[in-house]
Structures are given as structure tokens and as C-alpha cells.
Amino acid sequence: MSTEGSAVDTLTIEEAAAELERLAKEIAHHDALYHGRDRPEISDADYDALKRRNDALEVRFPELIREDSPSRRVGAAPSVTFSPVVHARPMLSLDNTFSQEDVQDFVASVYRFLGRLPDQSIAFTAEPKIDGLSMSIRYENGRLVTAATRGDGTTGENVTANIRTIAEIPNELPKGVPAVVEIRGEVYMAKSDFLALNRQMEAEGKQTYVNPRNTAAGSLRQLDAKVTASRKLKFFAYAWGEISEMPADTQFGMVQTFKDWGFPVNPLMKRLNSVADILAHYDEIGLERPDLDYDIDGVVYKVDSLELQARLGFRSRSPRWATAHKFPAEQAFTEVEKIEIQVGRTGALTPVARLKPITVGGVVVTNATLHNEDYIKGIGNSGERIRPEDHDIREGDTVIVQRAGDVIPQILDVVMEKRLADARSYEFPKTCPVCGSHAVREVNEKTGKMDSVRRCTGGFICRAQATEHLKHFVSRNAFDIEGLGSKQIDFFFEHEDASLQIRTAPEIFTLEKRQQQSLTKLENIDGFGKVSVGKLYTAINERRSIALHRFIYALGIRHVGETTAKLLARSYGTYEAFATAMKEAAPLSGDAWNDLNAIEGIGEVVARAMVEFYKEPRNVEVITRLLEEVTPQQAEQPVTTGSPVAGKTVVFTGSLEKFTRDEAKARAESLGAKVAGSVSKKTDIVVAGPGAGSKLDKARELGVQTMDEDEWLALISG
Ligand code: IVH
């Protein structure tokens, strides 16, 4: 089940890893839509919520930070149509803050970093965060030479010809400006121009744009600069890149200089001296927001003194001297037209509210997840009340919808005054709406608590579970069969002809052979064709040999996500060894059971789920047929002998200078060590870089061996 609504501190490591994986994919998907194709599917608030969730998970489980983590990237890589421009100085991102406390923390951290006392006042600037596209415009000897988008922060796209069409951006600067000047700021489209453009698009029968930001992006990415010219783009200057001679020594002074040079600057920028003043300005800008002719999504605070900015410096992606205080997620009222139940791969019955379409934060919302029957009643995951008792969600209710904290919009509350007289409490089905089997809430043997999720007990006979199972089997981190998506699975599942039917995974691999002997040809069916059928068979055949962890993950065992599958593959090495161990572990005692539970990262719930899975004859039968078609490869075994750290548990802490955390982890693991995120009695070695804090203290307290990076390097190379 998805864990996305659960509090971060209630998640197991497997759940967190699975969620981080999902978030990495999801955020990358939205990045691509946002930066590459200018057609986002979610609001910025939602996007921020995803990133925040990712950050929170990474703070709690630093050992799970992925290679492809969204926290390591700024924006998306540039698209291909424009030539690349390497920025003279990287274009960084801003950290986000969401509450007054966050802002207080930010200001306090600036004081702390600089070793200042609160009475040695530090001035900040506060200005709107413009929701457009950042641009770096380079002038040499007063003439515009290149303009580039941010791209991935290091390399952007060369959009010089297009930027030259923007009337507000000078092509030439006044005499006496520094020889090299890079002005940075935001290109945007005015709300009024956006509305006018959409009216025109509609009149011409063309597809309308989603919001001003994406329209501005789309308008800039035109290969034909004439189109850009017709779009009335605008600009605010607020920062700089390379500059050969500094014309001012404060943020405020720099922006005033840009104004003198002929650039538009935002009139709401202020220089302020206290947190109270900063927050008051935030409120003021918030009040003006609806009346501004451009979209803003927050207020940016920057340390005013450039000398202090230089001392504060940067973290990996963002300056320590600035933060973006975002406006809260938008909410709206709408009606619940219907409550429907979806059945997932593991049989979970998930209620979904079908809403009367409503625009929230610039995006049309038609569905909201209701998670489970308790949520509908207003009861949270730990049995706590999340809404007053009579505020259960009913069909026909008017509700407050929020797009934030989740990709999927949330229903926050019910507007009781609007409840219809004949509205009836939603009766959660006790049987599966797809197959009619009993749907039950399991009781956790250990805690005695009832699971919040009701599950269909139909297993393989349930069409929903079976198709979801197949969809999981072919999904990207499992068998990854191109050309076999959700639609195709439904098609093959439903097909009555035996040569075309796929009801279990092995049948994917017998499809080609069955087709050769059949007269009902797939290539003659609408939507397939000779070429795509050929490609499909190739894609299927390419997977006849598959990595063991993918094979295990693809089986769809409950609680076994990609990370667990990798652990299992690494621990058992071959499928035979794994399957034998699972069968031998059936009594939930004995060596096989103990070995399984001893694997770091595998808890009892997961272990039980695996044993249960292998107790089901039907599962074993399907796997036996699958193994006639597919060969799982032997997993690579890490070197565990002859290494001085083999079998040791190592914790890395502090800011590592000789290697990145990932490098350190990968290297240690390849030498047979286990890398943990926190120090305990089981820890053997703590490697501490500069700035190490509580983990180092704890290690000393527990008498765990500690060393610095050099000592560690000496140890592992010795
Ligand atoms: S300052 C080193 N000021 O927000 C930081 N950025 O999330 C330089 N943005 O990439 C950026 N309004 O596209 C700054 N008044 C403002 C801004 C602003 C919008 C954008 C900009 C930046 C992003 C960071």
C-alpha cells in the first residue's frame, strides 16, 4: 500500500525506501513536464509538497538517499533543441520555508553562522518570488551577447534570439557599465496577457495554456523568435552572475543599479531589519497577491550585505543567505459527486471521491483519495480524530479540497451547513466490488490493532488483483517490458482467445509461441500492427534472463519493495537458495527463519509475508511455470573475506571531505561492510568528518571505535 499519507516517523525502512523511489520517479516526471514540455500536471504547491516529503524522508533515513534523488538536482536537464550554454557561475535554487517558525529559524541560522548577537542587526531584503523562468543575460562591453535559461543549474539553453525580442530587456546598457555583466532575473507573462492569449487560442480552436508560467516557458522555447516576439513577455531583474566590477555592496544597491541601467525591478522589494518586519512584509505582499498582474508563489528573503553573503556562502544547491517563504497551498470548495472503490494489487480497497471539477492552484481537480474507511469517518492512522465526529464524508457533501502535502488532492473537511437533508453516511463495502469476495480488515497479531485497510480476500480470482499484479510484474523496476503497459495488460487479460490471453506472468512469455499456432493474429488487431508486435516480442524475449532482485520484486510479495528485493538477492545469491530458504522458514522458527530475520533491513512483518507467499500452492505453481521461461541471474556477491571491514557495521557522520557519502557507502559495502544511518551498540566503526555532532558523541559514549576519513582510507586500503 502507498505510505504517502503516513507520518514520516511511523514508516519502516522498506516503506521509506519504496516511497523515496516513488518520489524520485514522480518528481522527475513532473520536472520533465514542467521544464521540458511546459505542461505540468500538478500545482507548484503540490510539487513542493512532494519535495518536502522527500526531504523529510531523507532526513530520517539518510542511508536511503538515492543516486537519482530529487534533492540532488536543480530543475531538469536542458532540452535538446537549443544549443547549450555553460553558466559562468552556476544558477542555484532557493531553499523553501513554509511557516513563521521556519523563517525565524532561517534568520537565527544566519546570525549563528556569522557568530552575531541578535542586537548586531543584520538587514535582509524581502521581495516577491516571481513564478516565471529564471534567465541569465550576459552583456559584454554594454551589449547583450547571450541569454540562457537555468537548465540544470550548470548548463542552460541558449535563447538569445528570443530574449532579444522582449522589449523590457535592454539590448544595450548605458556607458560606463562594467565590461562583463550577467543580469539574472525572471521572465514571466502578465496574467492579463495570458488571459488574452488563451481567449485568442480558444477562438482559433487551439488548445489553451494551463497557466502564465508555462505559457512563458513555451513562448521562450520557440525556435522561431517571431512567435516569442508576439507573446509580450516581461522581465524582473533580481540577481547577477559574473560581473567584472561590483557596482554596489548590498543586494538592495545592486538591484537599484540594475534599475538605473534600464532593467525592470520589482517595486515591492524592501530592505528590513527584523523578523517581525520581514513577516509583516510577507503578509502585505500576500494581501496584494490577487491584485498583482503577475503570478507570485512566495516572498524571497536575502541577506542584504554582499560581504555577509560571501561569508555565508552556499550549500550544495542553494545559498545560505537566502530563502523563499512560500505561500500556503490553495484550497477550494467543491462537491463529492460519488465515492468509488479501487482495488489494488494486494487487494486493498481504496475509496476515491469523484469531485465536481474545480480549479485549485491553477489545476483542475476531479478526484481526491479518501485513503480508507476510517479516513472517511474522520479517523487518522493511529486512531486519532482528524475531523469532528459528524464530519464524515458523504456523497453529495460540499467539501474543502486542498492540493498540498500529497500529489493526490486531499479533502480537508466537510461544510456541514451545506450537508443535504437526505445525505447518508457512506457504507463501506464488506465485499470486493470487483469479484464479490469478502473484504476484511486484518488484525495485527502483535499489536492487536485492526488494519486501517480493508482487503479483498479473492486473491487470484479477483480480476482487479490479478491485473494489478501483472501490471506490477511488467513495471519499470520489475521486468520492465516495453510495449506492455496498463492498457495492453487489460486487453490481454480480457481476451477470450486462448492464443491471446494473459492471466498470469508466465503467459507473457508463451504469447509469441501461442500466436504462431493461432489464426487470430495480434498484428491484425487495432492498436498493434506488425512492427509493434515484433517490438513487443523482442522486449519480452530480452527479459528471459533477468537480475535476481528484479525477479523477486516482480513476484509482488506484500511488503517486498525494490530495496528489500535487493537485500534478499544479495543475501541468497540465487533464486533456488532464496526459494528453498522461504519454504524452510515456513514453521516461523529454525535456522532458515532465523537467517531471514537476521538480514539487516528485513523485519518480521516482511519475513512473515514472504513465508506466507510461499505457503500458497498457487504462487509456487505460477513461479514454477515462470521459471520454465525465465532465468534469474545469480546476484553479485560482495567481497566479504579478506577485507578488514567485512561484516562490520559502519556509520559515516559529519561533512565528508575526501569522498561523498555515496562513494563512502558504496566502497564500504563492496568490502563487505554494512553501512548504517545511526549509531548503536551494534556499530563497529564511526567515521567522522568535520562538524560531526551527536553521532560521534554517542559513539564515544558507547565505546565504539571512531576514526577520521584518513584513518578510514588507510584501514580499507591496508
Ligand atoms: S534569487 C541564488 N529572487 O526562484 C538564488 N529567485 O527557487 C538566486 N525566483 O531559480 C535566485 N523570484 O527562478 C531570486 N526575487 C527572486 C525570485 C527568484 C523568483 C526564482 C528563480 C530561482 C528560483 C529558486
Side-chain angles (χ1 to χ4, degrees), residues 51-71:
K51 294 263 272 213
R52 252 182 299 156
R53 177 82 179 170
N54 191 75
D55 289 347
L57 286 164
E58 289 185 347
V59 167
R60 171 138 187 254
F61 299 102
E63 68 275 28
L64 296 182
I65 298 177
R66 302 166 57 88
E67 271 308 311
D68 61 350
S69 166
S71 64

Side-chain angles (χ1 to χ4, degrees), residues 92-94 127-130 134 150 186 238 300 302 319 321:
L92 295 164
S93 183
L94 289 171
E127 67 201 278
K129 184 170 190 299
I130 316 298
S134 47
R150 181 169 72 173
E186 207 82 353
Y238 52 68
V300 182
K302 300 171 188 170
W321 43 264

Side-chain angles (χ1 to χ4, degrees), residues 33-111:
L33 288 177
Y34 191 80
H35 295 277
R37 286 184 254 146
D38 315 318
R39 282 218 169 265
E41 290 167 352
I42 59 171
S43 71
D44 289 359
D46 255 5
Y47 178 82
D48 287 340
L50 288 177
K51 294 263 272 213
R52 252 182 299 156
R53 177 82 179 170
N54 191 75
D55 289 347
L57 286 164
E58 289 185 347
V59 167
R60 171 138 187 254
F61 299 102
E63 68 275 28
L64 296 182
I65 298 177
R66 302 166 57 88
E67 271 308 311
D68 61 350
S69 166
S71 64
R72 298 170 163 225
R73 291 185 302 128
V74 178
S79 67
V80 284
T81 11
F82 293 91
S83 62
V85 176
V86 177
H87 298 301
R89 287 220 227 146
M91 289 181 80
L92 295 164
S93 183
L94 289 171
D95 257 10
N96 290 328
T97 34
F98 297 92
S99 65
Q100 298 203 346
E101 291 73 49
D102 287 353
V103 175
Q104 273 151 358
D105 287 350
F106 161 72
V107 171
S109 74
V110 167
Y111 276 86

Side-chain angles (χ1 to χ4, degrees), residues 198-237:
N198 257 357
R199 272 197 297 273
Q200 185 194 329
M201 298 294 261
E202 222 170 81
E204 292 171 10
K206 294 184 188 153
Q207 199 179 6
T208 54
Y209 285 96
V210 178
N211 61 38
R213 191 216 164 267
N214 303 298
T215 319
S219 306
L220 254 185
R221 281 217 190 78
Q222 298 287 337
L223 284 174
D224 180 358
K226 275 196 232 108
V227 180
T228 314
S230 71
R231 292 288 168 82
K232 294 196 186 144
L233 296 179
K234 294 189 159 170
F235 184 71
F236 279 127

Side-chain angles (χ1 to χ4, degrees), residues 99-142:
S99 65
Q100 298 203 346
E101 291 73 49
D102 287 353
V103 175
Q104 273 151 358
D105 287 350
F106 161 72
V107 171
S109 74
V110 167
Y111 276 86
R112 208 177 321 117
F113 191 93
L114 295 170
R116 291 247 192 156
L117 299 170
D119 60 350
Q120 298 171 296
S121 158
I122 296 174
F124 289 85
T125 59
E127 67 201 278
K129 184 170 190 299
I130 316 298
D131 198 9
L133 294 116
S134 47
M135 194 62 54
S136 187
I137 311 167
R138 186 176 173 95
Y139 293 82
E140 288 176 7
N141 303 315

